[in-house]
Amino acid sequence: MFGNFVIPPTLLQLSLLKYLLIITLFLHLSFIGMVVSGFIFSLLYSCIAKARNSKRYEWFAKTLIDICSFNIITSIIFGIIPLFIIAYLLSCLFFETSFALDLFLQNILIFVILGFFFLHIYRQSFQIRDKSFELHIGAGLLGIILLLGGYFFFISTMNLTIDPENWVFIKKPHQLLYGWSVVWRYLEFLIISCALTGMGILISLFIRDGGAKSNELTEPYKKMVKKFGLVVPFVCAFLLPVIKFFEAVTVANISLSVTFFYYSYLLLIILTIICFLIKPMWEKSTLKYCIPVLVLFLAVWLVSIVNNHRGIETANSEHLRILTGKAEAAKKDSDNKQSKNNVSDLEELTTLGNY
Amino acid sequence: MEKNSKSKILLELAQKYLASIIIISYFGAFMLMFYGFQAYWTHYDQTSVPQPIAYSHYKHVTENDIPCDYCHVYADKSKHAIIPPLSTCMDCHEGDDSDSPELKKLLKYWNDKTPVPWKQIHILPKHVYFTHKRHVKAGIDCVDCHGEVRMMDTPRQVSTLTMGWCVKCHDLHGASIDCYECHK
């Protein structure tokens, strides 16, 4: 897909590719996750507010948008540009394979751009919510559906990287729903996103700037927000082991290794710690562990992404060896050319000297 | 009385730490489930199987340019591609006095006139009829089913060889997907 822009990677590039892909995926998916789950909850609370005629839920829906949405520049830097970076990195990594990278960028990009556009309309239309509720909710719903659809393609394509036997068969977008492993990975993405949003709300309202924002809030509203911010991550932490187990059972066998299981044990330990940190916050109405819990959820995400990358290396070990061989051969060629040039320069100098 | 007070204390402790007990039990149960799955995978589902001699396809095929059909001579002639007899190995390794422990193992089998007990990696169920000859003649390359074996130090199964996978490939290449083709 990148055609002539993708050169076979050099040895240095191959080792950098791995870290760059992990970092880009981590930053991009954390950002998108917060946006997606923030807007999902905002839509939900907006509908509940309309049904129950409750101002509290309406404020909360607005708070969620304000915290989880970002300006256009940030959306482009963390939302759109990483898609191109990831596509380029995958092109290098799967150079000269039948991996259908075209499916990736073509399908995701348009969904993501349109999704951000409609969510922007949803956000801006909050003021006219009372006058035109259908437009407001419709824009939000369309934006969420587009983003969810786009990121289904994304997760499915990333899942395909560890399932090389299916590359030959998957050439069209509708074929990307090709197995249960895609579903479980997608659910994992949504659940971690919800957990990050929950903690993000608490930190933004009660911790950041010494909790200045919370001083303007009423007590019942504060109670509702705290309940949301603690219950959602706690439930997510309880659901994640189920999702991870089914993911392990359905993932391509060729990508499994002993390291995969060690990372899974690490994940379970982190989730246990998260639950033990949320428990006293719930019991004693304190929020002092919010930041550690957020950091631990980000660590869960990072471990999951690193584990996936380990799966890529295991599933494609032969292809990576071919790439390394090509990189080594290219380096040898380049070194030989360099030394030949040096020798001919030396001979020329010697000849000139003699003359 | 003493018994009652002891059980009361225990009950109070249990109530106090109930949430913690539930959390530890829940995640502990999942640890056990993952461990069980790991044990199952290690024994039954791992893609590579330890062989009596650590034969490296990478060394032989890539570094020494030996083609697949030099050893697997019946791939285009028979149902089975076959593992080569020791005499094929000795074509190159006879008189080889290298210190390699794997080569020493090979020479021991040759001297003892015992075939190497290679472990089969690609195993199809007994009710499946598969012939290498038909597939090779149809233009299917070795790598399509066996992956880049030339890059493997330890041979492993890269395709699931499930019926769904076979049928998809048959569909793609316009081959018959009639039941009798494979379940004679």
Side-chain angles (χ1 to χ4, degrees), chain A residues 92-320:
Chain A
C92 290
L93 215 49
F94 297 107
F95 182 69
E96 284 183 349
T97 64
S98 57
F99 180 65
L101 193 60
D102 294 351
L103 282 177
F104 180 77
L105 207 56
Q106 283 165 13
N107 295 305
I108 294 169
L109 205 55
I110 195 78
F111 276 83
V112 170
I113 291 172
L114 285 175
F116 276 133
F117 173 71
F118 282 107
L119 287 179
H120 181 71
I121 294 178
Y122 170 74
R123 186 185 175 183
Q124 297 305 326
S125 65
F126 220 91
Q127 290 93 333
I128 60 159
R129 189 177 171 279
D130 294 328
K131 289 178 201 165
S132 178
F133 184 73
E134 288 80 14
L135 168 73
H136 173 67
I137 286 295
L141 208 59
L142 197 55
I144 281 296
I145 289 170
L146 286 166
L147 271 184
L148 286 175
Y151 279 89
F152 181 80
F153 286 129
F154 185 103
I155 300 289
S156 183
T157 311
M158 291 312 298
N159 196 55
L160 207 51
T161 58
I162 58 169
D163 199 0
E165 77 163 17
N166 273 310
W167 291 353
V168 162
F169 307 120
I170 293 171
K171 298 292 178 198
K172 294 201 172 98
H174 70 274
Q175 291 169 323
L176 280 169
L177 176 58
Y178 65 89
W180 277 105
S181 57
V182 177
V183 174
W184 295 116
R185 281 179 167 251
Y186 190 58
L187 286 173
E188 182 195 3
F189 162 68
L190 288 176
I191 285 173
I192 296 181
S193 306
C194 292
L196 290 175
T197 299
M199 275 296 137
I201 294 290
L202 287 181
I203 290 171
S204 188
L205 285 180
F206 298 104
I207 311 279
R208 202 165 69 172
D209 300 327
K213 277 189 185 170
S214 66
N215 296 334
E216 306 151 4
L217 307 172
T218 60
E219 279 309 312
Y221 185 76
K222 274 193 211 174
K223 217 175 164 183
M224 186 192 85
V225 174
K226 278 184 192 173
K227 199 174 169 185
F228 172 86
L230 289 175
V231 167
V232 167
F234 194 77
V235 168
C236 292
F238 257 66
L239 285 175
L240 268 170
V242 179
I243 305 284
K244 290 303 287 182
F245 181 74
F246 282 110
E247 193 186 308
V249 166
T250 53
V251 83
N253 193 34
I254 196 178
S255 67
L256 287 177
S257 60
V258 174
T259 325
F260 173 90
F261 292 102
Y262 292 158
Y263 277 124
S264 304
Y265 299 138
L266 177 63
L267 257 159
L268 287 171
I269 292 169
I270 296 175
L271 289 170
T272 314
I273 297 171
I274 287 172
C275 288
F276 275 112
L277 289 175
I278 293 177
K279 185 173 138 322
M281 288 201 282
W282 177 263
E283 285 169 351
K284 294 169 188 167
S285 295
T286 170
L287 294 175
K288 62 179 179 175
Y289 301 122
C290 278
I291 293 177
V293 169
L294 181 73
V295 168
L296 285 171
F297 267 118
L298 288 170
V300 163
W301 211 190
L302 187 63
V303 168
S304 203
I305 290 170
V306 169
N307 203 6
N308 181 66
H309 195 85
R310 192 75 191 86
I312 292 177
E313 287 177 348
T314 310
N316 301 287
S317 56
E318 292 85 31
H319 171 68
L320 290 172

